[in-house]
Amino acid sequence: MNRAKIFGVIAGATVLGVLGSGVAVAAPKGSKSSGDVSVKQEITALKKVKGAGEVCGTDVIDKETGHGKTTLVMNVKKGLASKVSAEMAISKGAISLGVGYDVTKSIEVSKETRFEVPKGKFGTIEAYVQYKLYRGQIYTNSGLGTEPKFPTGKTATVMKPTGICFNEWAS
């Protein structure tokens, strides 16, 4: 929304304007205003989004151990959240539009592995989240117009859960 007509009185003061943050500015009692107020709200968007490969997370989400000779079996099924980071304030809605999916919704991933532990060894399986990386540029309207057209020089990164990766070893 670029312009809005605001009619009425707030706490006995006539509304004179709305700041970029969407906060109404009121004049003292008795001031005159036509009620036509320009709303200059800063809007951000995520644009030029590109896939940046896949990575395994660093946090262990499941672990299985056992002495050999044995077969360790791990079946992981979890609902996981996307990880979002940005160099400046931007709504998750704007990020969702940029990457093409709702970053606030949980994504279910599952995978199974089997690991043969040799006799006399101690085996371990650790499970981690596998992510697809997205990076995009944050744009703003700088309070002018409704379409974010101006690059801020800042970026946002989204890590979308796509699966499970395992680390298996025997010692």
Side-chain angles (χ1 to χ4, degrees):
M1 171 168 91
N2 178 341
R3 295 187 53 84
K5 288 201 178 221
I6 301 176
F7 298 99
V9 176
I10 298 176
T14 304
V15 175
L16 286 184
V18 178
L19 299 177
S21 60
V23 176
V25 178
K29 263 187 184 176
S31 296
K32 305 239 183 213
S33 171
S34 68
D36 186 8
V37 178
S38 181
V39 176
K40 297 188 189 278
Q41 183 176 11
E42 187 167 291
I43 301 169
T44 55
L46 190 62
K47 296 183 176 187
K48 297 187 178 181
V49 177
K50 295 181 181 173
E54 290 193 346
V55 297
C56 270
T58 56
D59 297 326
V60 176
I61 61 169
D62 206 350
K63 185 174 185 175
E64 193 71 41
T65 61
H67 291 283
K69 178 171 175 114
T70 191
T71 301
L72 298 177
V73 178
M74 181 183 287
N75 189 351
V76 179
K77 184 176 183 178
K78 291 196 181 271
L80 302 163
S82 294
K83 292 186 177 186
V84 177
S85 63
E87 294 178 322
M88 66 177 282
I90 182 171
S91 73
K92 288 197 175 174
I95 291 173
S96 295
L97 285 173
V99 296
Y101 78 96
D102 189 347
V103 298
T104 65
K105 300 238 173 159
S106 181
I107 297 171
E108 189 169 291
V109 295
S110 64
K111 193 170 186 181
E112 181 177 290
T113 189
R114 296 175 180 276
F115 178 57
E116 299 291 329
V117 181
K119 184 176 180 181
K121 299 282 186 177
F122 185 78
T124 304
I125 303 173
E126 291 178 341
Y128 303 85
V129 182
Q130 182 174 350
Y131 295 100
K132 177 166 175 101
L133 294 177
Y134 295 95
R135 286 200 179 97
Q137 302 296 315
I138 300 174
Y139 280 66
T140 182
N141 69 343
S142 294
L144 306 170
T146 58
E147 177 64 29
K149 297 177 186 174
F150 307 104
T152 63
K154 307 289 184 182
T155 62
T157 302
V158 177
M159 296 173 63
K160 179 182 181 180
T162 58
I164 305 293
C165 40
F166 297 102
N167 190 10
E168 305 167 336
W169 71 92
S171 54

